[in-house]
Amino acid sequence: MTFNIPLTYRPLSAASLPDTLANIPALRARLGGDPKHWTVREVSDGYLNLVYLVNGPDGSLCTKQSLPHVREDKDWPLPLDRTAAEAAYWRMVGPHAEGLVPEIYHYDPELALIVMEQLSPHRVVRHGVVAGETYPGLGAKVAEFSARSTFFTSDFFQKQEFKHRGVAELKDNHVLHRIMLELVYQDPFIASPRNHWTTPHLDAFVEDFRANGRIRAAAARLGLKFLSSPQALIHNDLHAGAVMIAGDDVRIIDPEFSTFGPIGVDLGIFIGHLLLGYYAQDGHAKPGEDRSPQQQWLLDEIVAFWFAFRRRFVELWRDNAAGDAYLASGFADPVGQAVAQAEREAFVDGLFADAVGYAATAMIRSIIGYSHFAELESIAEPDRKGAAEAGALSLARQFLLEPQRFVAIADVIAEAPRHRRAPGGRFAP
Amino acid sequence: MTFNIPLTYRPLSAASLPDTLANIPALRARLGGDPKHWTVREVSDGYLNLVYLVNGPDGSLCTKQSLPHVREDKDWPLPLDRTAAEAAYWRMVGPHAEGLVPEIYHYDPELALIVMEQLSPHRVVRHGVVAGETYPGLGAKVAEFSARSTFFTSDFFQKQEFKHRGVAELKDNHVLHRIMLELVYQDPFIASPRNHWTTPHLDAFVEDFRANGRIRAAAARLGLKFLSSPQALIHNDLHAGAVMIAGDDVRIIDPEFSTFGPIGVDLGIFIGHLLLGYYAQDGHAKPGEDRSPQQQWLLDEIVAFWFAFRRRFVELWRDNAAGDAYLASGFADPVGQAVAQAEREAFVDGLFADAVGYAATAMIRSIIGYSHFAELESIAEPDRKGAAEAGALSLARQFLLEPQRFVAIADVIAEAPRHRRAPGGRFAP
């Protein structure tokens, strides 16, 4: 498979980047001085992009450019359309999420290049979680982002036409949409050659996920909902690697997988990856190090995230009911207001149930699917890695098998410690 | 509001039509002979289009052309994009619904013209229902169409990309999408100037629909689902005026409102309009005429429709599971097959619940909204008309207020007679 690449496209190098930026007056002015003296540092991370940090005497910026293939695998072609999708996401979500996303300075479709605010001294939350750092307040900030980004792109705020146009605008990003669909909702439950896992430790889990009818059915229902419930524009990859933090300042990045989908997907991915971090702590603890404060912090942030999301989504809806769903003029009287409030709360309760399910699929795909993540992947010792992963898989499995046990976020917090496994041998589900 | 009209667009008259058709060799050959001798008869019906039947010595056809305004109201402009949407629907659904839809001979985007098979001696089912005719077997045929048209455009058969492309293709038909949204899910539950109803007979119902919080909430939930659950490409206007019949031959027409939406919408509209026909019978009975056989026939067809739809949708899914939802390779083993069958049945049971709700909104909008339909509208005597309409509204109201009472189609059939009202005065909900 090959994809169209604009004739003028070229991957930018640290050497060629200053000239390109200097041709754009606003960027040249922002950096200031002589482009020859700008510093350029490559910080490419993740699977997909070239990322540079550029600093000049007057300011700084960050460039993100799509490559026409997976960064580490030139034989896996990827279309450049994902940059258009990211730009579209920022255009639709940015105005409603000021201060929670990077400022976007420039978008060049032919170079598949986005130039944005350099987030400094921000750190990717995932790296901090691995290092044993804690960021009190993280959950509430991400909740604010999730509530705003989804509410303001939902049918409660938007007119019907917005979503139809939005789906049309994102449709050319179908390769990334397909990757996400297959890697999360399909591969882990079949014998896909892309799957890999810590073996033999997790073999019995993997076998169970492919054989257990109730698990397969639960995962398929989540996949169907992912395909057929475009409640809002979702980020669709909201793990701890897409969150940067510096003190109180939290920013969400990397929305190139964005699509119209169930709001619970974003909530579940974020919760699921905090839970991965929770189970990973034992594997990262140095001899004699007690990671229980970090574990408690992660669980606290999950609670804070959910309560803040729930409160903010309901408030935003109450105060901004401009959409085609639950037409405001139909609920303006006192009875209508009371009914609408009950409907809002019931809707968000439904999102919680979805979030539990999507937390499960996010955790499972991160451990036995194609893409693994540093929380667990960077645990050096296989027995400890397997034990941490088995704990996460065990909770995820219960999310799928006994969703009725998780009616409140407290149920998640209460169950999480019970699934921890001690290193040693193979693990049974 | 005005819309783009191609420079070469012109409404075709009975006089100009033969020349236009004669320029298309396949159509000229189909009709045969000298175009001067072709007969052209206008049969425009409904709100939106110019329709002609054309006959020649060798064959016949039907032309349907969009007008740039509501047919009876030149001050209500309508875009011609609806013909592109209809053509797209036939392209997506036609191959899967052979024999249940008209054959499409030609589509001219600049004239907003579709040329199709002339259905003769077919009759519009609505007219027959008013006249007291019965068509045994109707329900099973429409069920076959509904099962095929929705299954083959669903995530159970299609890949993810199909729907994204389909939504993009239909998005320019937003004016018709908005009309349907507002007329069905919004207007009847607010004080819209477009609403009208038999007064004073139905005043108390109308007041209740705008004041009753539980009804408003139920209607808003259905509206939200309409906006955010694109399970399949739906016809979206599948009332008895969109069904033509001649003996065993049943054809579905007029998909210009089609959109990706909940499958239950099509099911509910069809069931709802048969129920309108059921309540209308008393109003159309001549002195001494017994319409109870017709009433029984309508209830029988509702039962047959539901059971045939349920069986066929499940069968089609079992035999054609090519889609991204419930990936076939994940359910190929005996356990998987058993689980998948249970999932299919549970999914279709969910469609029944949706159908009951969408039957309610279809009935309500047909009686107190903007567009009324001949089943009830053609009842001459206001007291009898009001009584028939009150019966339909009363059942629809129960559908919204007590959905838990309707778990099987038999529950609908058992309740329907209990809501009939005798003519006389105003009706209380």
Side-chain angles (χ1 to χ4, degrees):
Chain A
M1 190 157 49
T2 58
F3 302 102
N4 290 327
I5 299 175
L7 283 173
T8 53
Y9 173 84
R10 61 194 187 281
L12 296 168
S13 66
S16 66
L17 188 58
D19 276 355
T20 302
L21 298 176
N23 280 330
I24 299 152
L27 300 180
R28 181 174 192 135
R30 177 175 296 278
L31 292 163
D34 184 341
K36 289 198 184 61
H37 300 137
W38 295 347
T39 65
V40 180
R41 183 160 61 97
E42 183 175 352
V43 293
S44 305
D45 189 13
Y47 289 86
L48 303 173
N49 306 295
L50 278 179
V51 182
Y52 295 99
L53 304 183
V54 186
N55 286 69
D58 296 346
S60 66
L61 52 76
C62 170
T63 69
K64 177 175 176 181
Q65 184 182 30
S66 286
L67 288 168
H69 50 76
V70 173
R71 194 162 58 89
E72 305 288 357
D73 181 356
K74 294 203 173 190
D75 294 333
W76 186 337
L78 282 177
L80 302 174
D81 303 282
R82 62 192 190 273
T83 302
E86 173 161 349
Y89 182 88
W90 292 131
R91 185 163 36 69
M92 290 190 261
V93 163
H96 302 294
E98 268 179 50
L100 295 160
V101 296
E103 192 181 341
I104 305 301
Y105 300 144
H106 183 72
Y107 163 52
D108 183 327
E110 302 225 328
L111 287 175
L113 175 74
I114 291 178
V115 183
M116 66 186 94
E117 183 181 3
Q118 184 181 128
L119 298 174
S120 175
H122 297 65
R123 185 166 193 188
V124 173
V125 164
R126 167 172 296 135
H127 300 159
V129 167
V130 169
E133 296 182 5
T134 60
Y135 308 110
L138 171 71
K141 288 280 191 173
V142 179
E144 182 73 20
F145 167 79
S146 288
R148 298 184 71 85
S149 62
T150 59
F151 171 76
F152 285 109
T153 58
S154 77
D155 298 305
F156 309 122
F157 180 74
Q158 296 284 355
K159 297 292 184 187
Q160 176 177 237
E161 295 77 8
F162 169 82
K163 183 156 58 187
H164 291 179
R165 283 198 310 263
V167 170
E169 190 165 359
L170 296 174
K171 77 173 197 308
D172 291 337
N173 198 27
H174 57 89
V175 174
L176 262 65
H177 291 155
R178 172 148 296 283
I179 288 172
M180 191 59 81
L181 173 72
E182 293 183 356
L183 295 191
V184 179
Y185 304 104
Q186 297 179 349
D187 278 8
F189 308 96
I190 59 174
S192 165
R194 288 184 292 212
N195 293 334
H196 59 104
W197 59 90
T198 308
T199 183
H201 310 72
L202 304 180
D203 292 359
F205 272 104
V206 172
E207 194 176 320
D208 182 58
F209 288 143
R210 297 180 192 173
N212 187 316
R214 288 171 54 224
I215 287 181
R216 284 184 278 166
R221 282 194 294 273
L222 290 161
L224 173 63
K225 187 168 237 181
F226 175 74
L227 290 164
S228 62
S229 294
Q231 295 173 322
L233 182 61
I234 61 173
H235 182 288
N236 205 19
D237 201 23
L238 190 58
H239 51 62
V243 183
M244 299 190 71
I245 190 164
D248 282 348
D249 194 47
V250 172
R251 308 292 185 102
I252 308 302
I253 60 171
D254 288 352
E256 55 259 84
F257 285 96
S258 70
T259 189
F260 283 84
I263 294 168
V265 168
D266 278 2
L267 310 179
I269 292 172
F270 185 68
I271 291 171
H273 281 259
L274 291 190
L275 287 168
L276 294 184
Y278 169 83
Y279 290 105
Q281 294 301 318
D282 287 337
H284 293 297
K286 297 175 188 67
E289 184 186 6
D290 175 16
R291 288 275 184 124
S292 57
Q294 287 90 339
Q295 289 168 330
Q296 187 58 49
W297 167 72
L298 284 157
L299 297 183
D300 289 348
E301 294 302 325
I302 291 170
V303 173
F305 171 74
W306 171 251
F307 281 124
F309 173 83
R310 185 184 205 288
R311 188 187 72 250
R312 289 296 291 140
F313 194 93
V314 169
E315 285 173 357
L316 290 168
W317 185 353
R318 182 195 63 201
D319 298 338
N320 303 275
D324 267 325
Y326 290 86
L327 199 68
S329 61
F331 293 92
D333 59 305
V335 168
Q337 288 179 34
V339 166
Q341 181 65 14
E343 291 289 304
R344 292 190 279 265
E345 291 175 2
F347 179 82
V348 179
D349 287 343
L351 296 184
F352 180 75
D354 292 348
V356 170
Y358 289 113
T361 49
M363 293 162 80
I364 291 167
R365 74 88 146 210
S366 303
I367 297 172
I368 71 174
Y370 173 74
S371 308
H372 294 195
F373 299 94
E375 285 91 336
L376 292 160
E377 205 63 8
S378 65
I379 298 174
E381 209 270 295
D383 282 356
R384 292 169 81 191
K385 178 165 181 275
E389 292 172 330
L393 287 181
S394 177
L395 180 64
R397 187 174 178 278
Q398 194 186 20
F399 283 167
L400 295 182
L401 285 175
E402 302 182 273
Q404 74 284 358
R405 290 184 61 163
F406 300 93
V407 297
I409 195 68
D411 301 323
V412 174
I413 304 309
E415 281 299 318
R418 297 181 193 154
H419 291 269
R420 288 168 67 185
R421 306 292 179 98
R426 305 164 66 125
F427 298 98
Chain B
M1 190 156 51
T2 58
F3 303 102
N4 289 327
I5 300 176
L7 283 173
T8 53
Y9 173 84
R10 60 195 188 281
L12 296 168
S13 66
S16 65
L17 187 58
D19 277 355
T20 302
L21 298 176
N23 280 330
I24 300 152
L27 300 180
R28 181 173 192 138
R30 178 174 295 278
L31 292 163
D34 184 341
K36 289 198 185 61
H37 300 138
W38 294 348
T39 65
V40 179
R41 183 160 61 98
E42 182 174 353
V43 292
S44 306
D45 190 11
Y47 289 86
L48 303 173
N49 307 295
L50 278 178
V51 182
Y52 295 99
L53 303 182
V54 185
N55 287 68
D58 296 346
S60 66
L61 52 78
C62 169
T63 70
K64 178 176 176 180
Q65 184 183 30
S66 286
L67 288 168
H69 51 75
V70 173
R71 193 162 59 90
E72 304 289 356
D73 181 356
K74 294 204 171 187
D75 294 332
W76 186 337
L78 281 178
L80 302 174
D81 303 282
R82 63 192 190 272
T83 302
E86 173 161 348
Y89 182 89
W90 292 131
R91 184 163 37 70
M92 290 188 261
V93 163
H96 303 294
E98 268 178 49
L100 294 161
V101 297
E103 192 181 342
I104 305 300
Y105 300 144
H106 183 73
Y107 163 50
D108 183 327
E110 302 225 328
L111 287 174
L113 174 74
I114 291 178
V115 183
M116 66 186 93
E117 183 181 4
Q118 185 182 127
L119 298 174
S120 175
H122 297 64
R123 186 168 194 188
V124 173
V125 165
R126 167 171 294 134
H127 301 158
V129 167
V130 168
E133 296 182 4
T134 61
Y135 307 110
L138 171 71
K141 288 280 191 174
V142 178
E144 182 73 20
F145 167 79
S146 289
R148 298 184 70 85
S149 62
T150 58
F151 171 76
F152 285 110
T153 58
S154 76
D155 299 305
F156 309 122
F157 180 73
Q158 295 284 354
K159 297 293 183 187
Q160 176 176 236
E161 294 76 8
F162 170 82
K163 183 156 58 188
H164 291 180
R165 283 198 310 264
V167 170
E169 189 164 359
L170 295 174
K171 78 172 196 311
D172 291 336
N173 199 27
H174 57 89
V175 173
L176 262 66
H177 291 155
R178 172 148 297 281
I179 288 171
M180 191 60 81
L181 173 72
E182 293 183 356
L183 295 190
V184 179
Y185 303 104
Q186 297 179 348
D187 278 7
F189 308 96
I190 58 174
S192 164
R194 288 183 293 212
N195 292 334
H196 60 103
W197 59 89
T198 307
T199 184
H201 310 72
L202 303 180
D203 292 358
F205 273 103
V206 173
E207 194 176 321
D208 182 58
F209 288 142
R210 296 181 193 173
N212 188 316
R214 288 171 53 223
I215 287 181
R216 283 184 278 168
R221 281 194 295 273
L222 291 161
L224 173 62
K225 186 168 237 182
F226 175 73
L227 290 164
S228 61
S229 294
Q231 295 173 323
L233 183 60
I234 60 173
H235 182 287
N236 205 19
D237 201 24
L238 190 57
H239 52 60
V243 184
M244 299 189 72
I245 190 165
D248 282 348
D249 196 48
V250 172
R251 308 292 185 100
I252 308 302
I253 60 171
D254 289 352
E256 54 259 84
F257 286 96
S258 71
T259 189
F260 284 84
I263 295 168
V265 168
D266 278 1
L267 310 179
I269 293 172
F270 185 68
I271 291 172
H273 281 259
L274 291 189
L275 287 167
L276 294 183
Y278 169 83
Y279 290 105
Q281 294 301 319
D282 286 337
H284 293 296
K286 296 176 190 67
E289 184 185 6
D290 176 17
R291 288 276 185 123
S292 56
Q294 287 89 338
Q295 288 168 330
Q296 187 58 50
W297 167 72
L298 284 158
L299 297 183
D300 289 347
E301 294 303 325
I302 291 171
V303 173
F305 171 73
W306 171 252
F307 282 123
F309 174 83
R310 186 184 203 288
R311 189 187 71 249
R312 290 295 291 140
F313 194 94
V314 169
E315 285 173 357
L316 290 168
W317 184 355
R318 183 194 64 202
D319 299 338
N320 303 275
D324 268 324
Y326 290 86
L327 200 67
S329 61
F331 293 92
D333 60 305
V335 168
Q337 288 179 34
V339 166
Q341 182 64 14
E343 290 290 303
R344 292 190 279 264
E345 292 176 1
F347 179 82
V348 178
D349 286 343
L351 296 184
F352 180 75
D354 292 348
V356 170
Y358 290 113
T361 48
M363 294 162 79
I364 291 167
R365 75 89 147 209
S366 303
I367 297 172
I368 71 174
Y370 173 75
S371 308
H372 295 195
F373 299 93
E375 285 91 335
L376 292 160
E377 205 62 8
S378 65
I379 299 173
E381 208 269 296
D383 283 356
R384 293 169 81 191
K385 178 165 180 274
E389 292 172 330
L393 287 181
S394 177
L395 180 64
R397 187 174 178 278
Q398 195 186 18
F399 283 167
L400 295 183
L401 285 175
E402 302 182 273
Q404 73 283 0
R405 289 184 61 162
F406 300 94
V407 296
I409 195 68
D411 302 322
V412 173
I413 304 309
E415 281 299 317
R418 296 181 194 151
H419 291 268
R420 289 168 66 186
R421 306 292 180 98
R426 305 164 66 125
F427 298 98

